[in-house]
Amino acid sequence: MLSTAHRYFLEVVRAGSIKDAAAALHVAPSAISRQIAKLEEGCGAALFERRPHGMELTRAGEMLADYARRVAMDAEHVLRDIRSLRHAELTTIRIGSNEAVARNVLPPILGAYRSRNPGVAFQVHVASPGVVTQRLRDGSIDVGLAFSLNAGSGIDVRYEIVSPVRAIMVPGHPLAGRGSVSLEDLRQYPIALTDSGTTVRLLFDSSAAGSDGPPFDVAYSSNSSSVIRAVVEAGHAVTLAGEITLAEPLRSGALVALALQQPIFAERTLQVQTASHAQLPETTDAFVLHLIEALSPGAHQRHS
């Protein structure tokens, strides 16, 4: 950053006289004269030749002016970068979600918000519900969109919709014609499930552990819901999932969803979460309201 003496010096260079520089800077001419004298003493050379028509740079003055201009330019670049960084911090919305919701639910919601707020950027972190809530608590994300049975302490549930777990399969599956199925009905068929840590897997493991009979045939498991979906769409297995994350293939008829008869599978919700202690920027809080509106019943009909 430029010192006061260098700022005054450059203004005299620009204005051509101490009097005009003083007027531009709103200081007394004597203050500028003292700073110029200080610079000349430090350099050991005169910086200006005082002429009747104004101040003219000496060779030493030209060298110092070149240096001061470079410093001023570098300082402006640094300040601009700092302002840009701060701007990015204020307008980047950090979201945590599981893969299926991030892929199938969030894109149109994010796109609609950004079309009205082009200065906003999004960072989407894909993680299990437990990791999403932990990242909210430690401040590494701003908003969580997670399937949950119990958000726990330190988390504000801003909105939630019931998202029961269904049995998902292709229309040609032997069970597809039923109105509902029990977990026992699935025992004789291959099952594809996401890995531990998801609410679906927690519910399945809890229910399966309390049942009698031969073990379930969990033939396919993956940390990627995309892999599980591909296996199910190919007709190789049944999976357990919420309809909201498979809306497209269910709507097209590529897959069908059957209610599970065990009440525990109907208790899950999809929650919009924020940290209880967080003071969200205005833009982020506005996005939370946009997200809630987009998830509310009838949103598709309102915006289609």
Side-chain angles (χ1 to χ4, degrees), residues 6-299:
H6 286 100
R7 286 193 301 107
Y8 286 7
F9 168 73
L10 282 181
E11 187 58 31
V12 172
V13 173
R14 187 197 68 78
S17 73
I18 289 178
K19 179 182 176 181
D20 290 340
L25 293 169
H26 305 289
V27 298
S30 59
I32 293 183
S33 295
R34 284 195 299 272
Q35 293 296 333
I36 297 299
K38 180 180 176 181
L39 283 176
E40 291 180 327
E41 181 180 356
C43 294
L47 301 175
F48 294 98
E49 290 182 2
R50 278 73 173 174
R51 299 187 181 276
H53 60 272
M55 308 283 282
E56 186 173 315
L57 285 170
T58 64
R59 177 59 183 149
E62 290 174 352
M63 294 172 65
L64 183 61
D66 288 341
Y67 164 79
R69 290 188 186 105
R70 288 197 304 271
V71 172
M73 187 176 297
D74 289 344
E76 178 58 31
H77 289 165
V78 170
L79 289 173
R80 186 164 60 244
D81 289 343
I82 291 173
R83 286 192 294 267
S84 297
L85 177 62
R86 180 60 177 160
H87 180 71
E89 290 173 351
L90 290 174
T91 59
T92 297
I93 301 173
R94 303 166 302 168
I95 305 168
S97 177
N98 78 330
E99 182 193 1
V101 171
R103 183 184 64 246
N104 300 314
V105 178
L106 277 177
I109 296 174
L110 303 186
Y113 188 75
R114 196 172 192 278
S115 68
R116 299 198 296 268
N117 301 273
V120 169
F122 292 102
Q123 290 179 354
V124 179
H125 302 265
V126 172
S128 66
V131 174
V132 168
T133 55
Q134 183 55 46
R135 287 183 174 178
L136 282 171
R137 291 188 186 100
D138 66 26
S140 57
I141 61 173
D142 306 306
V143 184
L145 184 59
F147 291 113
S148 181
L149 302 172
N150 179 16
S153 62
I155 300 297
D156 286 344
V157 177
R158 303 282 295 270
Y159 182 76
E160 63 181 336
I161 55 174
V162 176
S163 182
V165 176
R166 306 296 195 193
I168 311 291
M169 61 199 74
V170 292
H173 193 279
L175 298 176
R178 300 193 184 186
S180 65
V181 294
S182 69
L183 204 60
E184 289 300 312
D185 294 327
L186 304 181
R187 195 181 290 274
Q188 60 182 308
Y189 299 102
I191 298 173
L193 294 172
T194 48
D195 289 343
S196 59
T198 64
T199 54
V200 165
R201 192 59 184 258
L202 290 171
L203 289 170
F204 173 82
D205 289 346
S206 175
S207 300
S211 65
D212 298 325
F216 287 88
D217 181 13
V218 182
Y220 308 92
S221 64
S222 175
N223 63 346
S224 169
S225 62
S226 298
V227 171
I228 299 300
R229 173 178 170 174
V231 168
V232 174
E233 287 185 323
H236 300 316
V238 176
T239 192
L240 305 182
E243 293 176 78
I244 193 170
T245 59
L246 292 168
E248 179 187 347
L250 290 173
R251 189 164 46 244
S252 69
L255 295 174
V256 296
L258 305 181
L260 286 161
Q261 294 166 4
Q262 284 87 346
I264 191 174
F265 289 105
E267 297 174 1
R268 189 185 68 159
T269 61
L270 178 61
Q271 299 180 347
V272 177
Q273 303 172 342
T274 57
S276 301
H277 64 274
Q279 183 67 41
L280 297 178
E282 183 179 343
T283 303
T284 304
D285 205 49
F287 170 74
V288 171
L289 298 178
H290 168 80
L291 179 59
I292 291 170
E293 180 187 5
L295 293 173
S296 63

